[in-house]
Amino acid sequence: MKSEKENKEQNGNDRRMLVILLILLLITLVAVAISVWAIWFRGKGPVLTPDYAPKDIEANAEPIGDESDKKLEQPEGGGAVSLTYSKEVSISISEKSATLLFANPTRSNQDMVICLVIDDVIILQSGRLTPGNKVTRLNLADGACDRLAEGGYDGKLIVYYYDRTTGERAMVNTEIAVCVTVVR
């Protein structure tokens, strides 16, 4: 038969093992909770800008009406662009769209894709905008509404240029500071 001293030691060891098991169980539960959040509830990452021009022309594009403009001179292996834009962007969360003015005048010899970025998060990305077309309304990226609250933001339009013949993205892009107003 065990002595009283041995029983106390055994009970102390049992308690330590129980505490260790509870700590390990707690760590496992925290790890599972973080994994579930990361897989199902975390916001989607940024939309990547393609290296080649999207095949789809922007559905919201409309002609500018400047067909009489002559194309800009294009150096061999390079491009030339002209831009028309407004520094004000309005976002309607209820409509899941942005109102802006961005045009790729007929004089340009590059296709363009524009992205609206706020705090390093891509809020919207257009389809391909060919010379002679403009957009005044674009749809927000999936999940963008969940990241925005009513108010004003400092944002930027990033303009990516694509060769009209090969579809390859140019080595340069343009960043334009804009004021973004978000409403319900």
Side-chain angles (χ1 to χ4, degrees), residues 14-38:
D14 289 346
R15 281 191 208 119
R16 276 187 234 122
M17 289 299 273
L18 182 62
V19 168
I20 291 171
L21 285 174
L22 287 174
I23 290 172
L24 290 174
L25 180 63
L26 181 64
I27 290 170
T28 303
L29 288 174
V30 168
V32 168
I34 290 171
S35 297
V36 167
W37 170 79

PDB file of all heavy atoms in Angstrom, residues 14-38:
ATOM      1  N   ASP A  14      -0.354  14.299 -11.028  1.00  0.00           N
ATOM      2  CA  ASP A  14      -1.598  14.253 -11.798  1.00  0.00           C
ATOM      3  C   ASP A  14      -2.091  15.662 -12.125  1.00  0.00           C
ATOM      4  O   ASP A  14      -2.540  15.932 -13.236  1.00  0.00           O
ATOM      5  CB  ASP A  14      -2.684  13.492 -11.022  1.00  0.00           C
ATOM      6  CG  ASP A  14      -2.408  11.992 -10.951  1.00  0.00           C
ATOM      7  OD1 ASP A  14      -1.532  11.514 -11.717  1.00  0.00           O
ATOM      8  OD2 ASP A  14      -3.062  11.313 -10.147  1.00  0.00           O
ATOM      9  N   ARG A  15      -1.990  16.576 -11.138  1.00  0.00           N
ATOM     10  CA  ARG A  15      -2.419  17.958 -11.368  1.00  0.00           C
ATOM     11  C   ARG A  15      -1.547  18.640 -12.425  1.00  0.00           C
ATOM     12  O   ARG A  15      -2.033  19.348 -13.277  1.00  0.00           O
ATOM     13  CB  ARG A  15      -2.372  18.745 -10.068  1.00  0.00           C
ATOM     14  CG  ARG A  15      -3.546  18.478  -9.184  1.00  0.00           C
ATOM     15  CD  ARG A  15      -3.620  19.456  -8.028  1.00  0.00           C
ATOM     16  NE  ARG A  15      -4.285  18.807  -6.930  1.00  0.00           N
ATOM     17  CZ  ARG A  15      -3.777  18.577  -5.748  1.00  0.00           C
ATOM     18  NH1 ARG A  15      -2.561  18.999  -5.454  1.00  0.00           N
ATOM     19  NH2 ARG A  15      -4.457  17.952  -4.815  1.00  0.00           N
ATOM     20  N   ARG A  16      -0.233  18.414 -12.346  1.00  0.00           N
ATOM     21  CA  ARG A  16       0.672  18.998 -13.341  1.00  0.00           C
ATOM     22  C   ARG A  16       0.354  18.485 -14.746  1.00  0.00           C
ATOM     23  O   ARG A  16       0.343  19.245 -15.706  1.00  0.00           O
ATOM     24  CB  ARG A  16       2.125  18.685 -12.983  1.00  0.00           C
ATOM     25  CG  ARG A  16       2.687  19.665 -11.997  1.00  0.00           C
ATOM     26  CD  ARG A  16       4.175  19.473 -11.765  1.00  0.00           C
ATOM     27  NE  ARG A  16       4.338  19.331 -10.319  1.00  0.00           N
ATOM     28  CZ  ARG A  16       4.868  18.306  -9.685  1.00  0.00           C
ATOM     29  NH1 ARG A  16       5.381  17.310 -10.351  1.00  0.00           N
ATOM     30  NH2 ARG A  16       4.928  18.275  -8.384  1.00  0.00           N
ATOM     31  N   MET A  17       0.112  17.216 -14.859  1.00  0.00           N
ATOM     32  CA  MET A  17      -0.240  16.630 -16.162  1.00  0.00           C
ATOM     33  C   MET A  17      -1.558  17.217 -16.679  1.00  0.00           C
ATOM     34  O   MET A  17      -1.695  17.499 -17.871  1.00  0.00           O
ATOM     35  CB  MET A  17      -0.344  15.103 -16.069  1.00  0.00           C
ATOM     36  CG  MET A  17       0.996  14.443 -15.892  1.00  0.00           C
ATOM     37  SD  MET A  17       2.085  14.788 -17.274  1.00  0.00           S
ATOM     38  CE  MET A  17       1.605  13.487 -18.350  1.00  0.00           C
ATOM     39  N   LEU A  18      -2.521  17.401 -15.792  1.00  0.00           N
ATOM     40  CA  LEU A  18      -3.806  17.972 -16.179  1.00  0.00           C
ATOM     41  C   LEU A  18      -3.628  19.418 -16.661  1.00  0.00           C
ATOM     42  O   LEU A  18      -4.191  19.806 -17.679  1.00  0.00           O
ATOM     43  CB  LEU A  18      -4.783  17.914 -14.999  1.00  0.00           C
ATOM     44  CG  LEU A  18      -6.191  18.431 -15.276  1.00  0.00           C
ATOM     45  CD1 LEU A  18      -6.866  17.608 -16.356  1.00  0.00           C
ATOM     46  CD2 LEU A  18      -7.016  18.413 -13.995  1.00  0.00           C
ATOM     47  N   VAL A  19      -2.795  20.196 -15.958  1.00  0.00           N
ATOM     48  CA  VAL A  19      -2.532  21.579 -16.362  1.00  0.00           C
ATOM     49  C   VAL A  19      -1.836  21.601 -17.723  1.00  0.00           C
ATOM     50  O   VAL A  19      -2.196  22.380 -18.606  1.00  0.00           O
ATOM     51  CB  VAL A  19      -1.691  22.305 -15.283  1.00  0.00           C
ATOM     52  CG1 VAL A  19      -1.153  23.630 -15.803  1.00  0.00           C
ATOM     53  CG2 VAL A  19      -2.503  22.518 -14.021  1.00  0.00           C
ATOM     54  N   ILE A  20      -0.863  20.739 -17.934  1.00  0.00           N
ATOM     55  CA  ILE A  20      -0.155  20.674 -19.217  1.00  0.00           C
ATOM     56  C   ILE A  20      -1.126  20.295 -20.335  1.00  0.00           C
ATOM     57  O   ILE A  20      -1.119  20.898 -21.420  1.00  0.00           O
ATOM     58  CB  ILE A  20       1.044  19.700 -19.138  1.00  0.00           C
ATOM     59  CG1 ILE A  20       2.140  20.284 -18.235  1.00  0.00           C
ATOM     60  CG2 ILE A  20       1.596  19.391 -20.532  1.00  0.00           C
ATOM     61  CD1 ILE A  20       3.265  19.318 -17.929  1.00  0.00           C
ATOM     62  N   LEU A  21      -1.966  19.309 -20.087  1.00  0.00           N
ATOM     63  CA  LEU A  21      -2.959  18.902 -21.092  1.00  0.00           C
ATOM     64  C   LEU A  21      -3.932  20.037 -21.405  1.00  0.00           C
ATOM     65  O   LEU A  21      -4.270  20.272 -22.574  1.00  0.00           O
ATOM     66  CB  LEU A  21      -3.718  17.660 -20.634  1.00  0.00           C
ATOM     67  CG  LEU A  21      -2.959  16.342 -20.722  1.00  0.00           C
ATOM     68  CD1 LEU A  21      -3.763  15.210 -20.094  1.00  0.00           C
ATOM     69  CD2 LEU A  21      -2.620  16.010 -22.159  1.00  0.00           C
ATOM     70  N   LEU A  22      -4.367  20.773 -20.392  1.00  0.00           N
ATOM     71  CA  LEU A  22      -5.281  21.894 -20.614  1.00  0.00           C
ATOM     72  C   LEU A  22      -4.598  23.004 -21.429  1.00  0.00           C
ATOM     73  O   LEU A  22      -5.207  23.595 -22.323  1.00  0.00           O
ATOM     74  CB  LEU A  22      -5.795  22.439 -19.286  1.00  0.00           C
ATOM     75  CG  LEU A  22      -6.822  21.553 -18.557  1.00  0.00           C
ATOM     76  CD1 LEU A  22      -7.142  22.138 -17.187  1.00  0.00           C
ATOM     77  CD2 LEU A  22      -8.067  21.399 -19.390  1.00  0.00           C
ATOM     78  N   ILE A  23      -3.335  23.274 -21.144  1.00  0.00           N
ATOM     79  CA  ILE A  23      -2.589  24.292 -21.902  1.00  0.00           C
ATOM     80  C   ILE A  23      -2.437  23.852 -23.360  1.00  0.00           C
ATOM     81  O   ILE A  23      -2.657  24.645 -24.281  1.00  0.00           O
ATOM     82  CB  ILE A  23      -1.222  24.570 -21.248  1.00  0.00           C
ATOM     83  CG1 ILE A  23      -1.414  25.312 -19.922  1.00  0.00           C
ATOM     84  CG2 ILE A  23      -0.322  25.375 -22.188  1.00  0.00           C
ATOM     85  CD1 ILE A  23      -0.153  25.469 -19.098  1.00  0.00           C
ATOM     86  N   LEU A  24      -2.088  22.605 -23.584  1.00  0.00           N
ATOM     87  CA  LEU A  24      -1.962  22.099 -24.951  1.00  0.00           C
ATOM     88  C   LEU A  24      -3.306  22.146 -25.688  1.00  0.00           C
ATOM     89  O   LEU A  24      -3.362  22.487 -26.875  1.00  0.00           O
ATOM     90  CB  LEU A  24      -1.393  20.682 -24.957  1.00  0.00           C
ATOM     91  CG  LEU A  24       0.081  20.560 -24.564  1.00  0.00           C
ATOM     92  CD1 LEU A  24       0.486  19.095 -24.464  1.00  0.00           C
ATOM     93  CD2 LEU A  24       0.959  21.277 -25.567  1.00  0.00           C
ATOM     94  N   LEU A  25      -4.366  21.821 -25.001  1.00  0.00           N
ATOM     95  CA  LEU A  25      -5.702  21.887 -25.601  1.00  0.00           C
ATOM     96  C   LEU A  25      -6.058  23.328 -25.962  1.00  0.00           C
ATOM     97  O   LEU A  25      -6.576  23.594 -27.053  1.00  0.00           O
ATOM     98  CB  LEU A  25      -6.745  21.309 -24.637  1.00  0.00           C
ATOM     99  CG  LEU A  25      -8.189  21.317 -25.123  1.00  0.00           C
ATOM    100  CD1 LEU A  25      -8.340  20.446 -26.358  1.00  0.00           C
ATOM    101  CD2 LEU A  25      -9.118  20.855 -24.030  1.00  0.00           C
ATOM    102  N   LEU A  26      -5.732  24.256 -25.088  1.00  0.00           N
ATOM    103  CA  LEU A  26      -5.993  25.674 -25.354  1.00  0.00           C
ATOM    104  C   LEU A  26      -5.192  26.158 -26.554  1.00  0.00           C
ATOM    105  O   LEU A  26      -5.720  26.852 -27.430  1.00  0.00           O
ATOM    106  CB  LEU A  26      -5.656  26.509 -24.111  1.00  0.00           C
ATOM    107  CG  LEU A  26      -5.890  28.006 -24.235  1.00  0.00           C
ATOM    108  CD1 LEU A  26      -7.367  28.293 -24.436  1.00  0.00           C
ATOM    109  CD2 LEU A  26      -5.369  28.719 -23.002  1.00  0.00           C
ATOM    110  N   ILE A  27      -3.931  25.789 -26.648  1.00  0.00           N
ATOM    111  CA  ILE A  27      -3.086  26.165 -27.788  1.00  0.00           C
ATOM    112  C   ILE A  27      -3.665  25.592 -29.079  1.00  0.00           C
ATOM    113  O   ILE A  27      -3.726  26.273 -30.105  1.00  0.00           O
ATOM    114  CB  ILE A  27      -1.621  25.710 -27.565  1.00  0.00           C
ATOM    115  CG1 ILE A  27      -0.973  26.538 -26.452  1.00  0.00           C
ATOM    116  CG2 ILE A  27      -0.814  25.803 -28.861  1.00  0.00           C
ATOM    117  CD1 ILE A  27       0.382  26.012 -26.006  1.00  0.00           C
ATOM    118  N   THR A  28      -4.102  24.350 -29.041  1.00  0.00           N
ATOM    119  CA  THR A  28      -4.709  23.718 -30.223  1.00  0.00           C
ATOM    120  C   THR A  28      -5.972  24.445 -30.646  1.00  0.00           C
ATOM    121  O   THR A  28      -6.176  24.705 -31.842  1.00  0.00           O
ATOM    122  CB  THR A  28      -5.011  22.235 -29.936  1.00  0.00           C
ATOM    123  OG1 THR A  28      -3.791  21.578 -29.543  1.00  0.00           O
ATOM    124  CG2 THR A  28      -5.601  21.548 -31.154  1.00  0.00           C
ATOM    125  N   LEU A  29      -6.826  24.799 -29.698  1.00  0.00           N
ATOM    126  CA  LEU A  29      -8.056  25.515 -30.023  1.00  0.00           C
ATOM    127  C   LEU A  29      -7.766  26.885 -30.632  1.00  0.00           C
ATOM    128  O   LEU A  29      -8.421  27.300 -31.597  1.00  0.00           O
ATOM    129  CB  LEU A  29      -8.934  25.666 -28.784  1.00  0.00           C
ATOM    130  CG  LEU A  29      -9.609  24.392 -28.280  1.00  0.00           C
ATOM    131  CD1 LEU A  29     -10.321  24.651 -26.959  1.00  0.00           C
ATOM    132  CD2 LEU A  29     -10.571  23.853 -29.322  1.00  0.00           C
ATOM    133  N   VAL A  30      -6.777  27.601 -30.110  1.00  0.00           N
ATOM    134  CA  VAL A  30      -6.398  28.904 -30.662  1.00  0.00           C
ATOM    135  C   VAL A  30      -5.879  28.730 -32.092  1.00  0.00           C
ATOM    136  O   VAL A  30      -6.242  29.490 -32.993  1.00  0.00           O
ATOM    137  CB  VAL A  30      -5.359  29.605 -29.757  1.00  0.00           C
ATOM    138  CG1 VAL A  30      -4.741  30.803 -30.449  1.00  0.00           C
ATOM    139  CG2 VAL A  30      -6.003  30.018 -28.442  1.00  0.00           C
ATOM    140  N   ALA A  31      -5.059  27.726 -32.326  1.00  0.00           N
ATOM    141  CA  ALA A  31      -4.511  27.480 -33.665  1.00  0.00           C
ATOM    142  C   ALA A  31      -5.631  27.149 -34.657  1.00  0.00           C
ATOM    143  O   ALA A  31      -5.639  27.637 -35.786  1.00  0.00           O
ATOM    144  CB  ALA A  31      -3.480  26.357 -33.625  1.00  0.00           C
ATOM    145  N   VAL A  32      -6.600  26.339 -34.238  1.00  0.00           N
ATOM    146  CA  VAL A  32      -7.738  26.003 -35.107  1.00  0.00           C
ATOM    147  C   VAL A  32      -8.575  27.248 -35.393  1.00  0.00           C
ATOM    148  O   VAL A  32      -8.976  27.494 -36.536  1.00  0.00           O
ATOM    149  CB  VAL A  32      -8.597  24.883 -34.472  1.00  0.00           C
ATOM    150  CG1 VAL A  32      -9.923  24.728 -35.197  1.00  0.00           C
ATOM    151  CG2 VAL A  32      -7.828  23.566 -34.480  1.00  0.00           C
ATOM    152  N   ALA A  33      -8.814  28.074 -34.380  1.00  0.00           N
ATOM    153  CA  ALA A  33      -9.602  29.295 -34.577  1.00  0.00           C
ATOM    154  C   ALA A  33      -8.908  30.246 -35.553  1.00  0.00           C
ATOM    155  O   ALA A  33      -9.551  30.817 -36.445  1.00  0.00           O
ATOM    156  CB  ALA A  33      -9.843  29.990 -33.234  1.00  0.00           C
ATOM    157  N   ILE A  34      -7.609  30.420 -35.421  1.00  0.00           N
ATOM    158  CA  ILE A  34      -6.862  31.284 -36.343  1.00  0.00           C
ATOM    159  C   ILE A  34      -6.910  30.717 -37.760  1.00  0.00           C
ATOM    160  O   ILE A  34      -7.094  31.459 -38.730  1.00  0.00           O
ATOM    161  CB  ILE A  34      -5.406  31.470 -35.858  1.00  0.00           C
ATOM    162  CG1 ILE A  34      -5.395  32.324 -34.591  1.00  0.00           C
ATOM    163  CG2 ILE A  34      -4.532  32.086 -36.937  1.00  0.00           C
ATOM    164  CD1 ILE A  34      -4.051  32.399 -33.911  1.00  0.00           C
ATOM    165  N   SER A  35      -6.775  29.422 -37.898  1.00  0.00           N
ATOM    166  CA  SER A  35      -6.835  28.800 -39.224  1.00  0.00           C
ATOM    167  C   SER A  35      -8.205  28.986 -39.864  1.00  0.00           C
ATOM    168  O   SER A  35      -8.294  29.313 -41.054  1.00  0.00           O
ATOM    169  CB  SER A  35      -6.521  27.300 -39.123  1.00  0.00           C
ATOM    170  OG  SER A  35      -5.209  27.103 -38.649  1.00  0.00           O
ATOM    171  N   VAL A  36      -9.263  28.802 -39.109  1.00  0.00           N
ATOM    172  CA  VAL A  36     -10.621  28.997 -39.645  1.00  0.00           C
ATOM    173  C   VAL A  36     -10.807  30.441 -40.073  1.00  0.00           C
ATOM    174  O   VAL A  36     -11.324  30.723 -41.154  1.00  0.00           O
ATOM    175  CB  VAL A  36     -11.679  28.584 -38.589  1.00  0.00           C
ATOM    176  CG1 VAL A  36     -13.064  29.062 -38.979  1.00  0.00           C
ATOM    177  CG2 VAL A  36     -11.664  27.068 -38.411  1.00  0.00           C
ATOM    178  N   TRP A  37     -10.358  31.381 -39.255  1.00  0.00           N
ATOM    179  CA  TRP A  37     -10.478  32.795 -39.614  1.00  0.00           C
ATOM    180  C   TRP A  37      -9.699  33.085 -40.892  1.00  0.00           C
ATOM    181  O   TRP A  37     -10.191  33.750 -41.792  1.00  0.00           O
ATOM    182  CB  TRP A  37      -9.964  33.672 -38.468  1.00  0.00           C
ATOM    183  CG  TRP A  37      -9.850  35.106 -38.864  1.00  0.00           C
ATOM    184  CD1 TRP A  37     -10.833  36.036 -38.952  1.00  0.00           C
ATOM    185  CD2 TRP A  37      -8.646  35.778 -39.276  1.00  0.00           C
ATOM    186  NE1 TRP A  37     -10.327  37.236 -39.377  1.00  0.00           N
ATOM    187  CE2 TRP A  37      -8.986  37.111 -39.591  1.00  0.00           C
ATOM    188  CE3 TRP A  37      -7.325  35.388 -39.409  1.00  0.00           C
ATOM    189  CZ2 TRP A  37      -8.053  38.041 -40.025  1.00  0.00           C
ATOM    190  CZ3 TRP A  37      -6.391  36.315 -39.840  1.00  0.00           C
ATOM    191  CH2 TRP A  37      -6.768  37.624 -40.136  1.00  0.00           C
ATOM    192  N   ALA A  38      -8.458  32.589 -40.980  1.00  0.00           N
ATOM    193  CA  ALA A  38      -7.607  32.873 -42.138  1.00  0.00           C
ATOM    194  C   ALA A  38      -8.184  32.296 -43.421  1.00  0.00           C
ATOM    195  O   ALA A  38      -8.079  32.903 -44.479  1.00  0.00           O
ATOM    196  CB  ALA A  38      -6.203  32.329 -41.903  1.00  0.00           C
TER     197      ALA A  38
END
